[in-house]
Amino acid sequence: MHKREIHTAGKELREAKKVLVLLHGRGGSAKEFLSLANDLNTQDFAILAPQATDFTWYPNSFLTPVQQNEPELASALALLKELLEDIIESGVATENIYFAGFSQGACLSLEFVARNAQKFGGVIAFTGGLIGEELDFNKYSGDFQGTPIMITSGDPDAHIPTKRIENSVEILEKMNASVQYKRYKNKPHNISAEEIEFANQVIFS
């Protein structure tokens, strides 16, 4: 189960009008992932980066049956729910709350917002898709009300199949998200300068 460990940068939460939640990938560090905000147009944001216990949000591939990633997945989602509630209680409106993740963190970001769809500021999935062996639309609810969601990936990517991303885009669009999906030919499994530029254009412009 995930312990609450939140690393921060940027403005103090009580002073910020906008908040970005950053979710690191498998084996990653929240403290290191905070540096991503230096390249994004988030100068006036409070930046919050939860740390996954043992550096992993859930143990197995995001393409395995959900039960095989429990109870860690449920714990990660509960942590994000608690964090979202704390941000709202601090006075930040949901339309000014943003999420961004890479790889496993990107999958978790998409899964969380799809299960709690509402008008967010924006969502960035640097190489990710919705979680589960099969995608079940019935477990997702709410209305994104035009929330901009950006998904990127390598073409191909060894960890995130293109078909899963396309299916995720379809579900998110049915929930009234404004999705932009971009693939980069032969891009390694990382976050490239081109993806950061794209994020600044479509999410933080």
Side-chain angles (χ1 to χ4, degrees), residues 24 31 34 43 51 70 74 83-84 86 89 95 101 110 126 129 131 154 156 158-159 163 185 191-192:
H24 66 79
K31 189 174 181 179
L34 274 176
Q43 291 77 14
Q51 174 64 54
E70 299 294 8
L83 184 58
L84 175 61
D86 289 348
E89 285 180 11
E95 60 260 32
L110 291 177
F126 292 113
I131 295 173
H159 303 281
K163 186 64 175 175
K185 197 71 177 173
I191 300 175
S192 67

Side-chain angles (χ1 to χ4, degrees), residues 89-145:
E89 285 180 11
S90 78
V92 179
T94 56
E95 60 260 32
N96 291 321
I97 300 173
Y98 297 71
F99 295 86
F102 167 64
S103 192
Q104 192 184 61
C107 296
L108 183 62
S109 296
L110 291 177
E111 187 70 19
F112 176 74
V113 298
R115 292 190 188 202
N116 299 274
Q118 53 198 293
K119 177 65 174 175
F120 292 114
V123 182
I124 301 170
F126 292 113
T127 313
L130 293 170
I131 295 173
E133 183 179 31
E134 301 289 339
L135 294 183
D136 178 10
F137 185 80
N138 292 322
K139 72 178 178 180
Y140 305 117
S141 62
D143 185 342
F144 280 113
Q145 301 175 55

Side-chain angles (χ1 to χ4, degrees), residues 26-81:
R26 186 188 297 273
S29 154
K31 189 174 181 179
E32 292 177 359
F33 201 50
L34 274 176
S35 64
L36 176 66
N38 295 332
D39 298 316
L40 300 171
N41 294 333
T42 55
Q43 291 77 14
D44 296 327
F45 286 58
I47 314 295
L48 307 179
Q51 174 64 54
T53 300
D54 297 327
F55 304 96
T56 301
W57 292 112
Y58 45 86
N60 299 305
S61 165
F62 83 115
L63 298 169
T64 60
V66 169
Q67 293 81 358
Q68 294 182 19
N69 278 315
E70 299 294 8
E72 291 87 350
L73 176 58
S75 176
L77 292 168
L79 175 64
L80 290 180
K81 182 75 168 176

